[in-house]
């Protein structure tokens, strides 16, 4: 019997038989920890292993992106504890100036197609966008992996999702993703890997793939892959990997848990209303909901293409008086590209607040929280009650957030 | 004879309408405002601190208590604190129809028994599992007994790796006891 993409990647990293349902010992090519989880790893490591060497210091990293630069003493202490540990063990820190760890690992060519990458980030699986098996893990797993280079893993079953129809403007990768989340909910892909097929998936840019793969976590899935790559996406990925790109594809007789067909023909812009990312409705159903603030960024929508799309809408327009728009590029490299292309100027002149790279508005620490009664529209990936403060969060594409900030209410770019 | 049975008082995480709460996410279990904490003993007081109706859980919980939750418990973040806060309170086990994948492995690695049972949703919503009942679970055989109501039901037995890590205490101890792995 053949193998699915995730089975092939895991098989390349274990001596055990990688079949769905089996628990294997899996080698991790890259192990990383953030300023969240990282200090816990340091504490565990020193208690459990003392001065013992890491399995491989060249495969072990810290990436600081949650509270960057530290705005509380506790985070400053925690980041410094990681830096001291890194110095002692000779490992590299992607510090508070670098941006979101998952994106940095991709840009630096550390995450490679068919590799296994683990870190203290539940959206580590966005690396599925480039054919890498990224997986978020807790600080116990990561400590163990720092020391041993491996951990146990239950090989997931795979569900095949065939997306029918073409994605047409103004619908974007985020609208597609939110619509899939609405259709698949938190049950259909629960504890499974996904392979997405069809023109609407294969046609996505790298940024679009990252958006789609980032919300697998919200679908309760393990990881998502889009095994067909268009030339442009392939070139973008090769720019980072520095080598010709040959990701695994599933065998013809690979076993799937289920095959699901979803039609996206004629899809319009979508918004996830609080309190759940799967609570997705067309913009038309929410048009007119007043907003107080907007956030454009995150691992889901923080790429150059995402911010450029928002800037195209905001150029020559103003964020409505009384509305606060926060923009956070995913990484320093993205920031530099935006700077070079004049996009930051367009965003600035529209009234947006431009913040240094990082995880931005998804949690406390980087660009603040929502207050009681505040309504926020965000390009992030979670809107659970209380996650970003006491206000309410709607999730949408960069274009919908930009248009909504201009009008002061939830709106589609076509409403301008 | 090795102890393979857990016994404790249960807390059934129902919402106001009497439904078992599904998709409880890690920010409801342990809010991101406290992610800077690295001391397990400091984490207990924040357990379920953002879950409507259950914010007083740390004051009510006693060592050995068992939580009963809805499907996809622990959705969201990879934070170990969402497991460690229950270890801090000495919670004995968590039962749910299913767990989010990262949460499940974090719990296994920390030696907190997490047990799956598709049946508990019906039992909890039918009043056959109520907060305060005394529960006994054999996590090897998968036999569970609500001692207070003399009602038995099945949970999925632990997998081999879960059992071995639990026996060792946590993933670190397991790694040391098994040279092949560590």
């Amino acid at each position: 019997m053949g193998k699915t993409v995730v089975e092939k990647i895991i098989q390349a990293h274990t001596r055990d038989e990688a079949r769905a349902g089996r628990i294997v010992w899996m080698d991790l090519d890259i192990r990383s920890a953030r300023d969240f989880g990282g200090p816990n790893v340091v504490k565990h490591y020193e208690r459990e292993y003392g001065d013992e060497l890491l399995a491989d210091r060249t495969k072990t990293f810290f990436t600081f992106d949650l509270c960057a630069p530290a705005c509380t003493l506790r985070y400053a202490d925690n980041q410094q504890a990681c830096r001291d540990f890194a110095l002692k063990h000779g490992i590299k820190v992607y510090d508070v100036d670098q941006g979101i760890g998952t994106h940095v690992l991709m840009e630096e060519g550390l995450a490679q197609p068919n590799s296994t990458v683990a870190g203290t980030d539940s959206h580590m699986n966005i690396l599925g966008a480039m054919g890498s098996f990224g997986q978020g893990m807790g600080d116990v797993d990561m400590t163990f992996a720092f020391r041993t280079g491996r951990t146990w893993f239950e090989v997931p079953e795979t569900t095949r999702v065939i997306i029918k129809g073409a994605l047409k403007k103004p619908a974007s990768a985020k609208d597609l993703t939110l619509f899939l989340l609405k259709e698949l909910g938190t049950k259909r892909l629960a504890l499974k890997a996904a392979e997405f097929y069809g023109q609407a998936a294969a046609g996505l840019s790298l940024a679009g793939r990252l958006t789609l793969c980032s919300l697998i976590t919200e679908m309760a899935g393990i990881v998502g892959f889009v095994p067909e790559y268009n030339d442009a996406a392939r070139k973008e990925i090769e720019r980072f990997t520095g080598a010709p790109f040959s990701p695994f594809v599933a065998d013809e007789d690979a076993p799937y848990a289920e095959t699901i067909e979803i039609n996206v023909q004629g899809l319009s812009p979508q918004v996830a209303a609080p309190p759940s990312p799967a609570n997705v409705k067309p913009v038309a159903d929410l048009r007119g909901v007043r907003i107080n603030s907007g956030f454009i960024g995150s691992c889901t929508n923080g790429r150059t293409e995402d911010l450029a799309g928002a800037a195209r809408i905001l150029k020559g327009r103003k964020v409505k008086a009384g509305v606060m728009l926060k923009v956070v590029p995913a990484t320093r490299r993205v920031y530099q590209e935006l700077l070079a292309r004049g996009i930051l100027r367009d965003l600035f002149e529209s009234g947006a607040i431009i913040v240094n790279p990082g995880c931005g508005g998804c949690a406390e620490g980087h660009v603040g929280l929502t207050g009681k009664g505040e309504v926020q529209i965000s390009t992030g990936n979670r809107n659970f009650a209380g996650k970003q403060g006491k206000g309410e969060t709607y999730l949408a594409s960069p274009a919908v957030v930009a248009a909504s900030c201009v009008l002061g209410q939830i709106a589609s770019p076509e409403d301008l | 004879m090795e102890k393979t049975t857990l016994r404790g008082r249960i807390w059934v995480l129902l919402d106001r309408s009497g439904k078992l709460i599904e998709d409880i996410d890690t920010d409801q279990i342990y809010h991101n405002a406290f992610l800077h904490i690295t001391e397990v003993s400091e984490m207990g007081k924040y357990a379920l601190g953002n879950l409507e109706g259950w914010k007083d859980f740390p004051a009510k919980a006693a060592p050995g208590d068992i939580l009963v939750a809805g499907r996809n418990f622990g959705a969201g973040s990879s934070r170990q604190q969402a497991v460690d806060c229950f270890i801090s309170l000495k919670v004995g086990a968590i039962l749910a129809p299913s767990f989010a994948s990262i949460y499940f492995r974090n719990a296994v690695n920390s030696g907190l028994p997490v047990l799956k049972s598709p049946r508990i949703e019906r039992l909890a919503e039918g009043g056959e599992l109520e907060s305060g009942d005394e529960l006994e679970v054999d996590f090897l055989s998968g036999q569970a007994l609500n001692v207070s109501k003399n009602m038995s039901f099945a949970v999925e037995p632990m997998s081999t790796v879960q059992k071995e890590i639990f026996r060792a205490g946590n993933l670190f101890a397991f790694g040391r006891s098994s040279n092949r792995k560590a």
Side-chain angles (χ1 to χ4, degrees), chain A residues 28-32 58-61 105 110-112 115-119 142:
Chain A
L28 299 168
D29 296 321
I30 300 293
R31 6 324 160 164
S32 67
T58 66
K59 296 180 172 182
T60 311
F61 302 92
L105 293 174
L110 293 166
Q112 287 282 334
S115 68
T116 52
V117 183
M142 289 323 305

PDB file of all heavy atoms in Angstrom, chain A residues 28-32 58-61 105 110-112 115-119 142:
ATOM      1  N   LEU A  28      13.819  14.900  14.556  1.00  0.00           N
ATOM      2  CA  LEU A  28      13.397  16.271  14.252  1.00  0.00           C
ATOM      3  C   LEU A  28      14.592  17.016  13.670  1.00  0.00           C
ATOM      4  O   LEU A  28      15.633  17.139  14.321  1.00  0.00           O
ATOM      5  CB  LEU A  28      12.896  16.964  15.520  1.00  0.00           C
ATOM      6  CG  LEU A  28      11.686  16.290  16.174  1.00  0.00           C
ATOM      7  CD1 LEU A  28      11.431  16.862  17.565  1.00  0.00           C
ATOM      8  CD2 LEU A  28      10.451  16.449  15.298  1.00  0.00           C
ATOM      9  N   ASP A  29      14.455  17.486  12.427  1.00  0.00           N
ATOM     10  CA  ASP A  29      15.580  18.164  11.770  1.00  0.00           C
ATOM     11  C   ASP A  29      15.880  19.504  12.434  1.00  0.00           C
ATOM     12  O   ASP A  29      17.027  19.912  12.506  1.00  0.00           O
ATOM     13  CB  ASP A  29      15.264  18.385  10.291  1.00  0.00           C
ATOM     14  CG  ASP A  29      15.122  17.075   9.541  1.00  0.00           C
ATOM     15  OD1 ASP A  29      15.907  16.151   9.832  1.00  0.00           O
ATOM     16  OD2 ASP A  29      14.231  16.965   8.679  1.00  0.00           O
ATOM     17  N   ILE A  30      14.819  20.206  12.851  1.00  0.00           N
ATOM     18  CA  ILE A  30      14.984  21.503  13.501  1.00  0.00           C
ATOM     19  C   ILE A  30      14.176  21.503  14.795  1.00  0.00           C
ATOM     20  O   ILE A  30      13.008  21.115  14.793  1.00  0.00           O
ATOM     21  CB  ILE A  30      14.473  22.646  12.586  1.00  0.00           C
ATOM     22  CG1 ILE A  30      15.248  22.692  11.256  1.00  0.00           C
ATOM     23  CG2 ILE A  30      14.550  24.003  13.312  1.00  0.00           C
ATOM     24  CD1 ILE A  30      16.703  23.078  11.369  1.00  0.00           C
ATOM     25  N   ARG A  31      14.803  21.913  15.891  1.00  0.00           N
ATOM     26  CA  ARG A  31      14.062  22.070  17.146  1.00  0.00           C
ATOM     27  C   ARG A  31      14.241  23.517  17.603  1.00  0.00           C
ATOM     28  O   ARG A  31      15.356  24.039  17.631  1.00  0.00           O
ATOM     29  CB  ARG A  31      14.483  21.142  18.227  1.00  0.00           C
ATOM     30  CG  ARG A  31      15.616  20.169  18.238  1.00  0.00           C
ATOM     31  CD  ARG A  31      16.091  19.384  17.106  1.00  0.00           C
ATOM     32  NE  ARG A  31      17.465  18.970  17.423  1.00  0.00           N
ATOM     33  CZ  ARG A  31      18.142  18.036  16.824  1.00  0.00           C
ATOM     34  NH1 ARG A  31      17.640  17.374  15.810  1.00  0.00           N
ATOM     35  NH2 ARG A  31      19.356  17.745  17.209  1.00  0.00           N
ATOM     36  N   SER A  32      13.122  24.142  17.943  1.00  0.00           N
ATOM     37  CA  SER A  32      13.206  25.556  18.296  1.00  0.00           C
ATOM     38  C   SER A  32      12.263  25.863  19.447  1.00  0.00           C
ATOM     39  O   SER A  32      11.321  25.123  19.721  1.00  0.00           O
ATOM     40  CB  SER A  32      12.842  26.413  17.078  1.00  0.00           C
ATOM     41  OG  SER A  32      11.492  26.241  16.739  1.00  0.00           O
ATOM     42  N   THR A  58      23.698  22.838  16.003  1.00  0.00           N
ATOM     43  CA  THR A  58      23.425  23.504  14.713  1.00  0.00           C
ATOM     44  C   THR A  58      21.979  23.291  14.248  1.00  0.00           C
ATOM     45  O   THR A  58      21.562  23.856  13.259  1.00  0.00           O
ATOM     46  CB  THR A  58      24.368  22.991  13.605  1.00  0.00           C
ATOM     47  OG1 THR A  58      24.074  21.608  13.354  1.00  0.00           O
ATOM     48  CG2 THR A  58      25.830  23.138  14.013  1.00  0.00           C
ATOM     49  N   LYS A  59      21.259  22.443  14.962  1.00  0.00           N
ATOM     50  CA  LYS A  59      19.853  22.206  14.599  1.00  0.00           C
ATOM     51  C   LYS A  59      18.898  22.751  15.648  1.00  0.00           C
ATOM     52  O   LYS A  59      17.707  22.429  15.646  1.00  0.00           O
ATOM     53  CB  LYS A  59      19.615  20.700  14.422  1.00  0.00           C
ATOM     54  CG  LYS A  59      20.401  20.098  13.270  1.00  0.00           C
ATOM     55  CD  LYS A  59      20.115  18.617  13.175  1.00  0.00           C
ATOM     56  CE  LYS A  59      20.740  18.040  11.892  1.00  0.00           C
ATOM     57  NZ  LYS A  59      20.439  16.610  11.768  1.00  0.00           N
ATOM     58  N   THR A  60      19.424  23.514  16.581  1.00  0.00           N
ATOM     59  CA  THR A  60      18.650  23.977  17.732  1.00  0.00           C
ATOM     60  C   THR A  60      18.653  25.504  17.760  1.00  0.00           C
ATOM     61  O   THR A  60      19.713  26.117  17.606  1.00  0.00           O
ATOM     62  CB  THR A  60      19.289  23.417  19.024  1.00  0.00           C
ATOM     63  OG1 THR A  60      19.500  22.019  18.862  1.00  0.00           O
ATOM     64  CG2 THR A  60      18.402  23.673  20.229  1.00  0.00           C
ATOM     65  N   PHE A  61      17.473  26.103  17.944  1.00  0.00           N
ATOM     66  CA  PHE A  61      17.367  27.569  17.837  1.00  0.00           C
ATOM     67  C   PHE A  61      16.367  28.141  18.844  1.00  0.00           C
ATOM     68  O   PHE A  61      15.416  27.469  19.237  1.00  0.00           O
ATOM     69  CB  PHE A  61      16.880  27.966  16.428  1.00  0.00           C
ATOM     70  CG  PHE A  61      17.772  27.457  15.336  1.00  0.00           C
ATOM     71  CD1 PHE A  61      17.525  26.231  14.744  1.00  0.00           C
ATOM     72  CD2 PHE A  61      18.880  28.184  14.929  1.00  0.00           C
ATOM     73  CE1 PHE A  61      18.371  25.734  13.752  1.00  0.00           C
ATOM     74  CE2 PHE A  61      19.726  27.705  13.941  1.00  0.00           C
ATOM     75  CZ  PHE A  61      19.465  26.472  13.353  1.00  0.00           C
ATOM     76  N   LEU A 105      12.409  30.683  10.173  1.00  0.00           N
ATOM     77  CA  LEU A 105      12.977  29.355   9.875  1.00  0.00           C
ATOM     78  C   LEU A 105      12.831  29.029   8.393  1.00  0.00           C
ATOM     79  O   LEU A 105      13.698  28.403   7.784  1.00  0.00           O
ATOM     80  CB  LEU A 105      12.300  28.271  10.726  1.00  0.00           C
ATOM     81  CG  LEU A 105      12.554  28.347  12.238  1.00  0.00           C
ATOM     82  CD1 LEU A 105      11.713  27.314  12.972  1.00  0.00           C
ATOM     83  CD2 LEU A 105      14.031  28.163  12.575  1.00  0.00           C
ATOM     84  N   LEU A 110      16.201  27.025   6.913  1.00  0.00           N
ATOM     85  CA  LEU A 110      16.360  25.982   7.931  1.00  0.00           C
ATOM     86  C   LEU A 110      15.248  24.947   7.815  1.00  0.00           C
ATOM     87  O   LEU A 110      15.480  23.750   7.934  1.00  0.00           O
ATOM     88  CB  LEU A 110      16.376  26.615   9.326  1.00  0.00           C
ATOM     89  CG  LEU A 110      17.616  27.485   9.572  1.00  0.00           C
ATOM     90  CD1 LEU A 110      17.447  28.364  10.792  1.00  0.00           C
ATOM     91  CD2 LEU A 110      18.853  26.598   9.716  1.00  0.00           C
ATOM     92  N   ALA A 111      14.032  25.424   7.576  1.00  0.00           N
ATOM     93  CA  ALA A 111      12.935  24.504   7.258  1.00  0.00           C
ATOM     94  C   ALA A 111      13.058  24.181   5.776  1.00  0.00           C
ATOM     95  O   ALA A 111      13.085  25.085   4.946  1.00  0.00           O
ATOM     96  CB  ALA A 111      11.600  25.160   7.552  1.00  0.00           C
ATOM     97  N   GLN A 112      13.186  22.923   5.460  1.00  0.00           N
ATOM     98  CA  GLN A 112      13.334  22.482   4.067  1.00  0.00           C
ATOM     99  C   GLN A 112      12.150  21.581   3.702  1.00  0.00           C
ATOM    100  O   GLN A 112      11.561  20.960   4.585  1.00  0.00           O
ATOM    101  CB  GLN A 112      14.637  21.686   3.921  1.00  0.00           C
ATOM    102  CG  GLN A 112      15.908  22.538   3.969  1.00  0.00           C
ATOM    103  CD  GLN A 112      16.192  23.272   2.656  1.00  0.00           C
ATOM    104  OE1 GLN A 112      15.772  22.842   1.586  1.00  0.00           O
ATOM    105  NE2 GLN A 112      16.885  24.405   2.741  1.00  0.00           N
ATOM    106  N   SER A 115      11.271  18.079   5.458  1.00  0.00           N
ATOM    107  CA  SER A 115      11.939  18.039   6.761  1.00  0.00           C
ATOM    108  C   SER A 115      10.912  17.995   7.888  1.00  0.00           C
ATOM    109  O   SER A 115       9.719  18.226   7.671  1.00  0.00           O
ATOM    110  CB  SER A 115      12.843  19.263   6.932  1.00  0.00           C
ATOM    111  OG  SER A 115      12.051  20.439   7.036  1.00  0.00           O
ATOM    112  N   THR A 116      11.389  17.692   9.093  1.00  0.00           N
ATOM    113  CA  THR A 116      10.545  17.763  10.290  1.00  0.00           C
ATOM    114  C   THR A 116      11.057  18.906  11.167  1.00  0.00           C
ATOM    115  O   THR A 116      12.252  19.007  11.428  1.00  0.00           O
ATOM    116  CB  THR A 116      10.606  16.441  11.087  1.00  0.00           C
ATOM    117  OG1 THR A 116      11.972  16.112  11.318  1.00  0.00           O
ATOM    118  CG2 THR A 116       9.940  15.306  10.341  1.00  0.00           C
ATOM    119  N   VAL A 117      10.144  19.778  11.553  1.00  0.00           N
ATOM    120  CA  VAL A 117      10.506  20.985  12.302  1.00  0.00           C
ATOM    121  C   VAL A 117       9.556  21.114  13.484  1.00  0.00           C
ATOM    122  O   VAL A 117       8.336  21.133  13.300  1.00  0.00           O
ATOM    123  CB  VAL A 117      10.368  22.240  11.407  1.00  0.00           C
ATOM    124  CG1 VAL A 117      10.807  23.482  12.170  1.00  0.00           C
ATOM    125  CG2 VAL A 117      11.183  22.101  10.121  1.00  0.00           C
ATOM    126  N   ALA A 118      10.101  21.215  14.695  1.00  0.00           N
ATOM    127  CA  ALA A 118       9.231  21.344  15.868  1.00  0.00           C
ATOM    128  C   ALA A 118       9.609  22.578  16.673  1.00  0.00           C
ATOM    129  O   ALA A 118      10.770  22.994  16.688  1.00  0.00           O
ATOM    130  CB  ALA A 118       9.339  20.099  16.739  1.00  0.00           C
ATOM    131  N   GLY A 119       8.636  23.170  17.311  1.00  0.00           N
ATOM    132  CA  GLY A 119       8.887  24.335  18.141  1.00  0.00           C
ATOM    133  C   GLY A 119       7.673  24.655  18.994  1.00  0.00           C
ATOM    134  O   GLY A 119       6.594  24.076  18.803  1.00  0.00           O
ATOM    135  N   MET A 142      10.005  19.806  23.705  1.00  0.00           N
ATOM    136  CA  MET A 142      11.118  20.544  23.114  1.00  0.00           C
ATOM    137  C   MET A 142      12.398  20.374  23.919  1.00  0.00           C
ATOM    138  O   MET A 142      13.481  20.283  23.352  1.00  0.00           O
ATOM    139  CB  MET A 142      10.778  22.027  22.946  1.00  0.00           C
ATOM    140  CG  MET A 142       9.758  22.324  21.844  1.00  0.00           C
ATOM    141  SD  MET A 142       9.855  21.313  20.337  1.00  0.00           S
ATOM    142  CE  MET A 142      11.553  21.559  19.858  1.00  0.00           C
TER     143      MET A 142
END
